[in-house]
Amino acid sequence: MAPKSKSKSSTATAKTNGAQAAEAIPHQWPSLTPRLAAEDLTLDTMLPDQIVTVSNLMTPTLCAKYVNFLRSLPLTTTPTTPQKGYAVRVNDRYQVQDPTFAAALWEQTALKDLVTQHGKTTGSSDTWGGEVLGLSSNIRIYRYAPGHFFGAHYDDFNNVHFTDSLDPSKSSIPAVTTWTLLLYLSTCEGGETVFHPEPASKKAPTPKPVSVAPEMGMALLHRHGRECMLHEGKEVTGGEKWVIRSDLCRPVARDGGNPAYHFSSSYDLTPSYGIILLISYVRSASENMLEPAASVIQTALPER
């Protein structure tokens, strides 16, 4: 879980739409065929309410088609020296705002059916943080070559305006991201995503890490924001790790009985230093609408 201790604070504004630096250039993405039906797949829970996987969400043929396409994109290598408070990572990446592709990835694979069915099976939509609208239009492409890695960090949530690309006449919906989606397009040596659960109490022993090895066609979903677990991407030692990243989105909840409600989250963090972003949405009595206010609180995290 993202750290909650508080010390110094300063004023900041909340991030909107996931990543302001993302390109808004539409691409002719390859068709998402062939595909497997939801009834032929299973959503496997690795850690309740935290980590789930779906093997073979994309077929090997489809993965190969996408890797060939992604090689044509103008990927850039991340800076070797990250901004203060951000985790060290070395990989090649590309980012684009594309609601049409996000909708296709949600609707034209078995992902939507599996996520919806899982919510019905558990008997609670809270599994995903609320009703799932679909995937964030903020699409990120990652390529990890040998020697590339992503240091220990937490994933932040993002405030977004969700648009139904299948029905442009509908107004956009204020939404927030709740779970990270990582779709692996290749298998490699190393490159595991390793999660570090926290002990249940100060006196309890530290749980063993949960490791997820990259598997061609597999989708990994993990909770982010204030419920995010510290995790890292281990160094790739052979081959390449190709990943498509997006996030599950849910509507911003309007608590009719409570004039204010809160979200809290953290940016990517190093294990020894972090930032918590606390966002309060307060209902304006005069405008009857929600107004965001945010503060950034620095905190020291324990070494791991």
Side-chain angles (χ1 to χ4, degrees):
M1 181 179 294
K4 297 180 179 179
S5 57
K6 303 177 182 180
S7 56
K8 300 177 182 179
S9 65
S10 60
T11 302
T13 55
K15 294 193 295 180
T16 303
N17 291 332
Q20 297 174 350
E23 293 188 33
I25 303 172
H27 291 282
Q28 294 297 322
W29 300 89
S31 62
L32 290 164
T33 56
R35 57 160 285 181
L36 297 177
E39 51 266 28
D40 297 324
L41 302 171
T42 57
L43 193 152
D44 299 312
T45 299
M46 298 196 68
L47 199 62
D49 296 324
Q50 282 287 347
I51 309 169
V52 298
T53 61
V54 181
S55 293
N56 301 313
L57 182 68
M58 292 178 67
T59 66
T61 299
L62 184 55
C63 287
K65 181 165 61 174
Y66 260 79
V67 169
N68 286 335
F69 168 74
L70 297 179
R71 290 188 188 280
S72 69
L73 298 179
L75 279 70
T76 58
T77 303
T78 53
T80 54
T81 303
Q83 299 178 30
K84 187 175 182 180
Y86 281 71
V88 176
R89 65 173 167 183
V90 182
N91 64 1
D92 301 321
R93 68 195 309 269
Y94 179 75
Q95 194 167 6
V96 65
Q97 291 287 345
D98 196 330
T100 300
F101 178 64
L105 201 57
W106 177 246
E107 299 276 353
Q108 296 176 23
T109 69
L111 187 60
K112 178 181 179 180
D113 290 340
L114 290 168
V115 167
T116 303
Q117 290 170 10
H118 185 70
K120 292 179 179 178
T121 301
T122 59
S124 173
S125 62
D126 289 341
T127 299
W128 307 111
E131 173 197 0
V132 180
L133 295 170
L135 294 177
S136 168
S137 62
N138 183 22
I139 303 297
R140 284 138 288 179
I141 306 300
Y142 302 143
R143 170 187 173 270
Y144 292 82
H148 288 182
F149 66 95
F150 198 158
H153 64 284
Y154 297 95
D155 286 0
D156 189 16
F157 74 87
N158 284 298
N159 299 310
V160 300
H161 294 287
F162 186 86
T163 302
D164 186 351
S165 64
L166 301 179
D167 188 355
S169 65
K170 290 184 178 180
S171 300
S172 62
I173 302 172
V176 64
T177 63
T178 58
W179 285 64
T180 295
L181 168 68
L182 299 176
L183 181 53
Y184 298 108
L185 302 178
S186 61
T187 301
C188 64
E189 297 176 19
E192 300 88 352
T193 300
V194 180
F195 296 86
H196 300 277
E198 294 183 357
S201 66
K202 292 182 179 180
K203 295 183 179 180
T206 301
K208 293 182 179 179
V210 178
S211 180
V212 182
E215 176 186 305
M216 181 184 292
M218 182 179 72
L220 166 64
L221 286 156
H222 70 85
R223 189 183 290 274
H224 66 221
R226 65 181 177 184
E227 301 298 331
C228 186
M229 285 194 302
L230 186 71
H231 59 286
E232 61 184 310
K234 290 293 188 180
E235 180 180 339
V236 171
T237 58
E240 293 180 330
K241 181 171 74 171
W242 284 89
V243 185
I244 296 177
R245 158 82 193 270
S246 186
D247 309 286
L248 297 187
C249 297
R250 70 158 174 81
V252 171
R254 295 175 182 267
D255 186 348
N258 190 339
Y261 53 89
H262 308 274
F263 298 110
S264 66
S265 181
S266 58
Y267 291 104
D268 292 345
L269 305 175
T270 63
S272 59
Y273 177 86
I275 298 175
I276 298 178
L277 178 64
L278 300 179
I279 302 178
S280 301
Y281 289 83
V282 183
R283 188 176 302 278
S284 167
S286 59
E287 299 293 338
N288 192 30
M289 61 186 294
L290 300 176
E291 299 176 345
S295 62
V296 173
I297 300 173
Q298 296 181 353
T299 180
L301 304 181
E303 293 285 349
R304 290 181 183 267

